[in-house]
Amino acid sequence: MDGPRYRLVYAGLGLALVALLAVLVAFWPSGDEFELPEPLEAVFPLPNDIVVRQTAVEVDLPVGYRLELSVDGVRIPESEIGLTEATGLRVWQPDMFSVIPEWTPGEHTVFIAWDSTVGRPDPGTFEWSFTVR
C-alpha cells in the first residue's frame, strides 16, 4: 500500500476506536443504580446528583395520583407545584414567593408521598437526596 492508503486505514481505525470508547462510556453501568417504587415513573434530580441552583424538582406519577412534596422537612403547598394534567408531571422550583426562596449550596432531601385519587387506594412514599453546587 502507498502512503495515502495507510493514512485512510489508520484514520478509519482511529475513528472506530473513538466510536467504541464513546459507546462504552455511554452504556457502562455507573454503580449508582436505584429502583423507583411503583407507580413512580421518574424523579429529577436523580438521587446523589450534583446540580446547579436553578434546578427544579420533578416528580412523574401517572395521571390520577395526588402528590405531597417536602423539601428539607418543609412541606411545599400544592399551589406551588406545577402539574401537567395530561402526563402527571409535577414540577417545583424555589423562587422568591415560595416557602423556600432559593437553593442553598449543599445537600437537600426530598420526600414525596402519593395516593391514587381514582379506583383503589395506592399509597406510597419515596425519599432521596441531591447536592446543589
Side-chain angles (χ1 to χ4, degrees):
M1 282 202 249
D2 59 350
R5 195 171 290 178
Y6 278 115
R7 287 187 198 126
L8 287 175
V9 169
Y10 284 129
L13 288 173
L15 288 174
L17 179 62
V18 169
L20 176 65
L21 289 174
V23 168
L24 286 174
V25 167
F27 294 105
W28 194 266
S30 67
D32 294 340
E33 302 290 323
F34 65 94
E35 188 139 344
L36 294 174
E38 290 290 329
L40 193 57
E41 296 174 347
V43 296
F44 182 81
L46 298 174
N48 302 316
D49 267 0
I50 298 174
V51 298
V52 296
R53 294 177 71 177
Q54 296 81 8
T55 298
V57 173
E58 298 179 9
V59 178
D60 195 1
L61 282 165
V63 175
Y65 281 82
R66 66 174 177 74
L67 174 75
E68 292 179 16
L69 172 70
S70 295
V71 177
D72 297 332
V74 177
R75 189 167 188 285
I76 306 301
E78 194 172 325
S79 61
E80 290 186 19
I81 302 170
L83 170 62
T84 305
E85 292 281 343
T87 63
L89 178 67
R90 280 98 168 154
V91 179
W92 174 81
Q93 185 173 16
D95 66 31
M96 59 193 226
F97 302 109
S98 177
V99 293
I100 299 176
E102 65 181 353
W103 291 121
T104 56
E107 186 172 285
H108 296 276
T109 301
V110 178
F111 175 81
I112 57 173
W114 63 84
D115 198 1
S116 175
T117 58
V118 294
R120 297 170 49 187
D122 187 17
T125 63
F126 185 65
E127 181 175 277
W128 77 100
S129 297
F130 61 92
T131 301
V132 173
R133 292 282 164 127

